[in-house]
Short mmCIF file of all heavy atoms in Angstrom, two decimals:
data_model
loop_
_atom_site.label_atom_id
_atom_site.label_comp_id
_atom_site.label_asym_id
_atom_site.label_seq_id
_atom_site.Cartn_x
_atom_site.Cartn_y
_atom_site.Cartn_z
N ASN A 1080 -2.41 4.97 2.89
CA ASN A 1080 -1.24 4.08 2.55
C ASN A 1080 -1.50 2.79 3.26
O ASN A 1080 -1.16 2.61 4.50
CB ASN A 1080 0.09 4.66 2.76
CG ASN A 1080 1.21 3.74 2.44
OD1 ASN A 1080 1.01 2.67 2.18
ND2 ASN A 1080 2.46 4.29 2.48
N HIS A 1081 -2.08 1.80 2.73
CA HIS A 1081 -2.41 0.56 3.46
C HIS A 1081 -1.23 -0.26 3.77
O HIS A 1081 -1.33 -1.36 4.51
CB HIS A 1081 -3.40 -0.34 2.65
CG HIS A 1081 -4.74 0.28 2.71
ND1 HIS A 1081 -5.22 1.23 3.59
CD2 HIS A 1081 -5.87 0.14 1.92
CE1 HIS A 1081 -6.43 1.52 3.32
NE2 HIS A 1081 -6.91 0.94 2.27
N LYS A 1082 -0.03 0.05 3.38
CA LYS A 1082 1.19 -0.55 3.80
C LYS A 1082 1.59 -0.15 5.23
O LYS A 1082 2.38 -0.82 6.04
CB LYS A 1082 2.46 -0.26 2.92
CG LYS A 1082 2.26 -0.76 1.55
CD LYS A 1082 2.21 -2.27 1.44
CE LYS A 1082 2.09 -2.70 -0.06
NZ LYS A 1082 1.86 -4.24 -0.11
N VAL A 1083 1.01 1.02 5.64
CA VAL A 1083 1.38 1.66 6.96
C VAL A 1083 0.15 1.74 7.83
O VAL A 1083 0.25 1.57 9.02
CB VAL A 1083 2.00 3.00 6.78
CG1 VAL A 1083 2.33 3.65 8.13
CG2 VAL A 1083 3.25 2.95 5.93
N VAL A 1084 -1.04 2.11 7.24
CA VAL A 1084 -2.21 2.43 7.92
C VAL A 1084 -3.21 1.27 7.60
O VAL A 1084 -3.40 1.01 6.39
CB VAL A 1084 -2.81 3.70 7.58
CG1 VAL A 1084 -4.19 3.87 8.32
CG2 VAL A 1084 -1.88 4.80 8.02
N PRO A 1085 -3.84 0.51 8.57
CA PRO A 1085 -4.74 -0.56 8.20
C PRO A 1085 -6.02 -0.09 7.46
O PRO A 1085 -6.39 1.03 7.71
CB PRO A 1085 -5.09 -1.14 9.54
CG PRO A 1085 -4.95 -0.06 10.50
CD PRO A 1085 -3.70 0.73 10.01
N PRO A 1086 -6.52 -0.93 6.54
CA PRO A 1086 -7.84 -0.51 5.92
C PRO A 1086 -8.97 -0.59 6.89
O PRO A 1086 -8.95 -1.09 7.90
CB PRO A 1086 -7.99 -1.62 4.83
CG PRO A 1086 -7.20 -2.78 5.40
CD PRO A 1086 -6.09 -2.26 6.07
N ARG A 1087 -10.00 0.15 6.55
CA ARG A 1087 -11.19 0.28 7.43
C ARG A 1087 -11.86 -1.12 7.47
O ARG A 1087 -11.77 -1.88 6.54
CB ARG A 1087 -12.19 1.27 6.92
CG ARG A 1087 -11.63 2.82 6.91
CD ARG A 1087 -12.66 3.69 6.54
NE ARG A 1087 -13.17 3.47 5.25
CZ ARG A 1087 -14.37 3.73 4.71
NH1 ARG A 1087 -15.19 4.41 5.60
NH2 ARG A 1087 -14.65 3.51 3.54
N ARG A 1088 -12.55 -1.32 8.59
CA ARG A 1088 -13.11 -2.65 8.81
C ARG A 1088 -14.15 -2.86 7.69
O ARG A 1088 -14.44 -4.04 7.36
CB ARG A 1088 -13.78 -2.71 10.28
CG ARG A 1088 -12.71 -2.86 11.26
CD ARG A 1088 -13.29 -3.42 12.49
NE ARG A 1088 -12.10 -3.74 13.44
CZ ARG A 1088 -11.55 -4.87 13.50
NH1 ARG A 1088 -11.74 -5.83 12.58
NH2 ARG A 1088 -10.55 -5.01 14.35
N VAL A 1089 -14.95 -1.84 7.30
CA VAL A 1089 -16.04 -1.96 6.35
C VAL A 1089 -15.34 -2.58 5.03
O VAL A 1089 -15.99 -3.26 4.23
CB VAL A 1089 -16.85 -0.73 6.20
CG1 VAL A 1089 -15.91 0.35 5.57
CG2 VAL A 1089 -18.09 -0.99 5.30
N GLU A 1090 -14.22 -2.08 4.73
CA GLU A 1090 -13.50 -2.58 3.43
C GLU A 1090 -13.08 -4.01 3.69
O GLU A 1090 -13.18 -4.82 2.61
CB GLU A 1090 -12.34 -1.67 3.21
CG GLU A 1090 -12.63 -0.15 2.84
CD GLU A 1090 -11.40 0.60 2.78
OE1 GLU A 1090 -10.20 0.12 2.89
OE2 GLU A 1090 -11.54 1.88 2.70
N MET A 1091 -12.58 -4.38 4.74
CA MET A 1091 -12.03 -5.72 5.10
C MET A 1091 -13.20 -6.80 4.84
O MET A 1091 -12.91 -7.88 4.33
CB MET A 1091 -11.55 -5.89 6.46
CG MET A 1091 -10.24 -5.11 6.71
SD MET A 1091 -9.98 -4.97 8.42
CE MET A 1091 -10.27 -6.60 9.14
N LYS A 1092 -14.47 -6.40 5.18
CA LYS A 1092 -15.50 -7.36 5.11
C LYS A 1092 -15.91 -7.71 3.59
O LYS A 1092 -16.48 -8.86 3.37
CB LYS A 1092 -16.70 -6.87 5.85
CG LYS A 1092 -16.37 -6.88 7.39
CD LYS A 1092 -17.55 -6.27 8.17
CE LYS A 1092 -17.27 -6.30 9.57
NZ LYS A 1092 -18.34 -5.61 10.41
N GLY A 1093 -15.54 -6.86 2.66
CA GLY A 1093 -15.97 -7.21 1.26
C GLY A 1093 -14.81 -7.26 0.36
O GLY A 1093 -14.94 -7.49 -0.93
N ASP A 1094 -13.54 -7.11 0.85
CA ASP A 1094 -12.41 -7.10 -0.17
C ASP A 1094 -11.30 -7.93 0.42
O ASP A 1094 -10.69 -7.60 1.46
CB ASP A 1094 -11.88 -5.59 -0.25
CG ASP A 1094 -10.72 -5.46 -1.17
OD1 ASP A 1094 -10.55 -6.32 -2.10
OD2 ASP A 1094 -9.98 -4.48 -1.03
N MET A 1095 -10.89 -9.03 -0.24
CA MET A 1095 -9.75 -9.84 0.22
C MET A 1095 -8.57 -9.20 0.37
O MET A 1095 -7.69 -9.44 1.34
CB MET A 1095 -9.77 -11.13 -0.69
CG MET A 1095 -8.63 -12.03 -0.36
SD MET A 1095 -8.81 -12.74 1.36
CE MET A 1095 -10.24 -13.82 1.08
N GLU A 1096 -8.21 -8.30 -0.65
CA GLU A 1096 -6.93 -7.59 -0.57
C GLU A 1096 -6.79 -6.79 0.78
O GLU A 1096 -5.68 -6.72 1.34
CB GLU A 1096 -6.69 -6.64 -1.71
CG GLU A 1096 -5.35 -6.15 -1.92
CD GLU A 1096 -5.06 -5.43 -3.24
OE1 GLU A 1096 -5.79 -5.68 -4.20
OE2 GLU A 1096 -4.09 -4.62 -3.30
N SER A 1097 -7.85 -6.14 1.17
CA SER A 1097 -7.83 -5.26 2.29
C SER A 1097 -7.64 -6.22 3.54
O SER A 1097 -6.90 -5.82 4.51
CB SER A 1097 -9.17 -4.51 2.48
OG SER A 1097 -9.25 -3.50 1.51
N LEU A 1098 -8.30 -7.33 3.54
CA LEU A 1098 -8.06 -8.39 4.68
C LEU A 1098 -6.73 -8.75 4.78
O LEU A 1098 -6.13 -8.79 5.84
CB LEU A 1098 -8.99 -9.55 4.43
CG LEU A 1098 -9.10 -10.51 5.63
CD1 LEU A 1098 -9.55 -9.97 6.91
CD2 LEU A 1098 -9.91 -11.70 5.17
N ILE A 1099 -6.01 -8.97 3.64
CA ILE A 1099 -4.67 -9.51 3.62
C ILE A 1099 -3.68 -8.31 4.16
O ILE A 1099 -2.81 -8.60 4.92
CB ILE A 1099 -4.15 -9.89 2.18
CG1 ILE A 1099 -4.87 -11.15 1.79
CG2 ILE A 1099 -2.68 -10.17 2.09
CD1 ILE A 1099 -4.77 -11.59 0.31
N HIS A 1100 -3.99 -7.08 3.64
CA HIS A 1100 -3.24 -5.95 4.14
C HIS A 1100 -3.34 -5.82 5.67
O HIS A 1100 -2.36 -5.73 6.38
CB HIS A 1100 -3.64 -4.60 3.59
CG HIS A 1100 -2.99 -4.31 2.21
ND1 HIS A 1100 -1.66 -4.11 2.12
CD2 HIS A 1100 -3.51 -4.10 1.03
CE1 HIS A 1100 -1.44 -3.96 0.86
NE2 HIS A 1100 -2.43 -3.94 0.18
N HIS A 1101 -4.43 -5.97 6.21
CA HIS A 1101 -4.72 -5.84 7.63
C HIS A 1101 -3.98 -6.98 8.43
O HIS A 1101 -3.25 -6.63 9.46
CB HIS A 1101 -6.31 -5.92 7.95
CG HIS A 1101 -6.49 -5.75 9.36
ND1 HIS A 1101 -6.52 -6.68 10.30
CD2 HIS A 1101 -7.09 -4.61 10.02
CE1 HIS A 1101 -6.94 -6.24 11.52
NE2 HIS A 1101 -7.15 -4.95 11.30
N PHE A 1102 -4.07 -8.22 7.89
CA PHE A 1102 -3.41 -9.24 8.58
C PHE A 1102 -1.83 -9.17 8.62
O PHE A 1102 -1.21 -9.33 9.67
CB PHE A 1102 -3.76 -10.59 7.84
CG PHE A 1102 -3.07 -11.82 8.42
CD1 PHE A 1102 -3.59 -12.37 9.58
CD2 PHE A 1102 -2.00 -12.47 7.81
CE1 PHE A 1102 -3.00 -13.56 10.15
CE2 PHE A 1102 -1.40 -13.55 8.37
CZ PHE A 1102 -1.93 -14.02 9.47
N LYS A 1103 -1.27 -8.73 7.43
CA LYS A 1103 0.20 -8.70 7.30
C LYS A 1103 0.67 -7.40 8.17
O LYS A 1103 1.75 -7.61 8.71
CB LYS A 1103 0.56 -8.53 5.86
CG LYS A 1103 0.40 -9.83 5.09
CD LYS A 1103 0.92 -9.75 3.65
CE LYS A 1103 2.37 -9.53 3.59
NZ LYS A 1103 3.09 -10.72 3.96
N LEU A 1104 -0.20 -6.45 8.20
CA LEU A 1104 0.29 -5.23 8.89
C LEU A 1104 0.36 -5.54 10.46
O LEU A 1104 1.28 -5.05 11.13
CB LEU A 1104 -0.75 -4.10 8.80
CG LEU A 1104 -0.36 -2.77 9.27
CD1 LEU A 1104 0.92 -2.21 8.71
CD2 LEU A 1104 -1.54 -1.68 9.11
N TYR A 1105 -0.59 -6.34 10.93
CA TYR A 1105 -0.51 -6.49 12.45
C TYR A 1105 0.30 -7.70 12.80
O TYR A 1105 0.52 -7.91 14.07
CB TYR A 1105 -2.03 -6.71 12.97
CG TYR A 1105 -2.69 -5.27 13.11
CD1 TYR A 1105 -3.66 -4.86 12.20
CD2 TYR A 1105 -2.15 -4.44 14.09
CE1 TYR A 1105 -4.23 -3.58 12.29
CE2 TYR A 1105 -2.81 -3.09 14.20
CZ TYR A 1105 -3.83 -2.78 13.37
OH TYR A 1105 -4.23 -1.50 13.57
N THR A 1106 0.71 -8.50 11.85
CA THR A 1106 1.59 -9.69 12.22
C THR A 1106 3.08 -9.27 11.83
O THR A 1106 3.93 -9.48 12.67
CB THR A 1106 1.13 -10.92 11.48
OG1 THR A 1106 1.04 -10.69 10.11
CG2 THR A 1106 -0.13 -11.37 11.98
N GLU A 1107 3.33 -8.85 10.70
CA GLU A 1107 4.63 -8.65 10.20
C GLU A 1107 5.09 -7.13 10.33
O GLU A 1107 6.26 -6.88 10.43
CB GLU A 1107 4.74 -9.04 8.72
CG GLU A 1107 4.61 -10.50 8.36
CD GLU A 1107 4.77 -10.79 6.94
OE1 GLU A 1107 5.10 -9.90 6.20
OE2 GLU A 1107 4.49 -11.95 6.66
N GLY A 1108 4.05 -6.29 10.37
CA GLY A 1108 4.36 -4.76 10.38
C GLY A 1108 4.87 -4.32 9.00
O GLY A 1108 4.37 -4.84 8.06
N TYR A 1109 5.73 -3.37 8.99
CA TYR A 1109 6.28 -2.87 7.76
C TYR A 1109 7.81 -2.58 7.86
O TYR A 1109 8.28 -2.33 8.89
CB TYR A 1109 5.55 -1.51 7.41
CG TYR A 1109 5.18 -0.68 8.58
CD1 TYR A 1109 6.19 0.03 9.30
CD2 TYR A 1109 3.93 -0.67 9.15
CE1 TYR A 1109 5.91 0.81 10.31
CE2 TYR A 1109 3.64 0.03 10.32
CZ TYR A 1109 4.64 0.72 10.89
OH TYR A 1109 4.39 1.55 12.01
N CYS A 1110 8.42 -2.69 6.78
CA CYS A 1110 9.84 -2.52 6.73
C CYS A 1110 10.07 -0.97 6.50
O CYS A 1110 9.48 -0.28 5.68
CB CYS A 1110 10.45 -3.19 5.49
SG CYS A 1110 10.51 -5.02 5.77
N VAL A 1111 11.01 -0.56 7.43
CA VAL A 1111 11.32 0.92 7.40
C VAL A 1111 12.72 1.22 6.67
O VAL A 1111 13.57 0.35 6.96
CB VAL A 1111 11.36 1.36 8.88
CG1 VAL A 1111 11.86 2.79 9.04
CG2 VAL A 1111 10.00 1.41 9.51
N PRO A 1112 12.76 2.06 5.91
CA PRO A 1112 14.13 2.35 5.21
C PRO A 1112 15.28 2.53 6.24
O PRO A 1112 15.04 2.98 7.36
CB PRO A 1112 13.86 3.65 4.47
CG PRO A 1112 12.41 3.80 4.36
CD PRO A 1112 11.90 3.10 5.57
N GLU A 1113 16.56 2.14 5.83
CA GLU A 1113 17.68 2.41 6.61
C GLU A 1113 17.80 3.76 7.03
O GLU A 1113 17.71 4.69 6.22
CB GLU A 1113 18.84 1.81 5.89
CG GLU A 1113 19.00 0.29 5.78
CD GLU A 1113 20.33 -0.10 5.31
OE1 GLU A 1113 21.33 0.53 5.64
OE2 GLU A 1113 20.34 -1.13 4.42
N GLY A 1114 18.32 4.04 8.26
CA GLY A 1114 18.60 5.42 8.68
C GLY A 1114 18.37 5.54 10.17
O GLY A 1114 18.23 4.53 10.82
N GLU A 1115 18.39 6.70 10.64
CA GLU A 1115 18.16 7.07 11.99
C GLU A 1115 17.32 8.28 12.18
O GLU A 1115 17.38 9.18 11.34
CB GLU A 1115 19.52 7.16 12.82
CG GLU A 1115 20.42 8.24 12.20
CD GLU A 1115 21.77 8.28 12.88
OE1 GLU A 1115 21.99 7.62 13.98
OE2 GLU A 1115 22.61 8.96 12.31
N ALA A 1116 16.70 8.33 13.34
CA ALA A 1116 15.81 9.54 13.52
C ALA A 1116 15.60 9.77 15.00
O ALA A 1116 15.51 8.77 15.74
CB ALA A 1116 14.39 9.34 12.82
N TYR A 1117 15.57 11.01 15.41
CA TYR A 1117 15.22 11.35 16.76
C TYR A 1117 14.01 12.31 16.83
O TYR A 1117 13.99 13.24 15.97
CB TYR A 1117 16.46 12.14 17.44
CG TYR A 1117 16.17 12.60 18.84
CD1 TYR A 1117 16.12 11.76 19.87
CD2 TYR A 1117 15.84 13.93 19.14
CE1 TYR A 1117 15.80 12.13 21.22
CE2 TYR A 1117 15.49 14.27 20.47
CZ TYR A 1117 15.55 13.41 21.46
OH TYR A 1117 15.19 13.78 22.69
N ALA A 1118 13.00 11.98 17.50
CA ALA A 1118 11.86 12.83 17.66
C ALA A 1118 11.57 13.12 19.12
O ALA A 1118 11.64 12.16 19.99
CB ALA A 1118 10.66 12.24 17.03
N ALA A 1119 11.34 14.34 19.49
CA ALA A 1119 11.13 14.80 20.91
C ALA A 1119 9.82 15.55 20.96
O ALA A 1119 9.54 16.27 20.17
CB ALA A 1119 12.26 15.58 21.43
N VAL A 1120 9.03 15.37 22.02
CA VAL A 1120 7.85 16.17 22.32
C VAL A 1120 8.09 16.83 23.70
O VAL A 1120 8.85 16.31 24.51
CB VAL A 1120 6.64 15.27 22.38
CG1 VAL A 1120 6.44 14.62 20.95
CG2 VAL A 1120 6.63 14.22 23.48
N GLU A 1121 7.26 17.86 23.92
CA GLU A 1121 7.26 18.48 25.23
C GLU A 1121 6.20 17.79 25.98
O GLU A 1121 5.05 18.16 26.07
CB GLU A 1121 6.81 20.00 25.08
CG GLU A 1121 6.95 20.87 26.30
CD GLU A 1121 8.40 20.86 26.86
OE1 GLU A 1121 9.36 21.04 26.03
OE2 GLU A 1121 8.61 20.94 28.17
N ALA A 1122 6.60 16.66 26.67
CA ALA A 1122 5.80 15.95 27.57
C ALA A 1122 5.55 16.70 28.81
O ALA A 1122 6.22 17.79 29.13
CB ALA A 1122 6.33 14.57 27.81
N PRO A 1123 4.51 16.29 29.64
CA PRO A 1123 4.23 17.07 30.85
C PRO A 1123 5.31 17.23 31.82
O PRO A 1123 5.37 18.16 32.47
CB PRO A 1123 3.07 16.30 31.39
CG PRO A 1123 2.42 15.67 30.28
CD PRO A 1123 3.45 15.28 29.25
N LYS A 1124 6.24 16.19 31.81
CA LYS A 1124 7.35 16.23 32.71
C LYS A 1124 8.67 16.95 32.16
O LYS A 1124 9.65 17.05 32.87
CB LYS A 1124 7.62 14.89 33.26
CG LYS A 1124 6.49 14.30 34.08
CD LYS A 1124 6.75 12.80 34.44
CE LYS A 1124 5.75 12.28 35.44
NZ LYS A 1124 4.43 12.30 34.81
N GLY A 1125 8.68 17.07 30.88
CA GLY A 1125 9.77 17.60 30.12
C GLY A 1125 9.96 16.98 28.89
O GLY A 1125 9.04 16.49 28.26
N GLU A 1126 11.23 17.04 28.26
CA GLU A 1126 11.50 16.55 26.90
C GLU A 1126 11.42 15.01 26.86
O GLU A 1126 12.37 14.37 27.53
CB GLU A 1126 12.75 17.05 26.29
CG GLU A 1126 13.08 16.54 24.89
CD GLU A 1126 14.38 17.08 24.39
OE1 GLU A 1126 14.77 18.16 24.72
OE2 GLU A 1126 14.92 16.37 23.53
#
């Protein structure tokens, strides 16, 4: 999903759309749906 994951560099070199996706992803990012989320991991020091 190139709206979230950048295209591969080999694609960017030959495809203008991939280059645009890459540029917009790293400058503007992506819009996330309204809502809230909590995520926790067992880090080495605790939660």
